[in-house]
Amino acid sequence: MAECGSGAGMAAAAITTLGGGTVEQALGATSLALQSSFGMTCDPIANRVEAPCLGKNTMAATNALTCSNMALANFKHLIPLDEVLDAFYKVGKSLPDEVCCT
């Protein structure tokens, strides 16, 4: 959740900024990207995390681009980034250690 979500959030903000978006749009893109990764867990296969995490990071990159496009199209994100970050922290703390890799 943290690796893919934070990476997608930062990428969404960067893509939005590079696309000429405003600070508000960049924050909105970040909020949307983080919302899409809530509850994502590490699923080690054969006691390894590389295989499933590679696919999840690829999906997070696609999510970043999609959220940036939404923000640049003036889609109004429903939840402010500060609230998303608070919830992200609470959800992360509630997950068992066995499914938290990063």
Side-chain angles (χ1 to χ4, degrees):
M1 184 170 96
E3 177 183 337
C4 295
S6 59
M10 289 185 286
I15 294 166
T16 303
T17 301
L18 290 171
T22 65
V23 171
E24 183 61 32
Q25 287 173 318
L27 293 174
T30 303
S31 176
L32 290 167
L34 286 172
Q35 290 174 50
S36 300
S37 62
F38 267 72
M40 190 179 288
T41 62
C42 182
D43 305 307
I45 299 172
N47 210 23
R48 299 180 62 96
V49 297
E50 292 87 354
C53 283
L54 176 61
K56 288 177 183 178
N57 279 304
T58 303
M59 288 188 303
T62 314
N63 179 44
L65 182 58
T66 301
C67 292
S68 174
N69 283 334
M70 291 170 67
L72 287 169
N74 290 318
F75 177 83
K76 300 296 179 204
H77 61 284
L78 300 175
I79 306 168
L81 180 58
D82 289 346
E83 289 181 38
V84 173
L85 291 172
D86 288 341
F88 202 74
Y89 177 77
K90 290 175 186 172
V91 170
K93 290 303 249 179
S94 71
L95 294 172
D97 289 341
E98 294 80 18
V99 297
C100 296
C101 250
T102 54

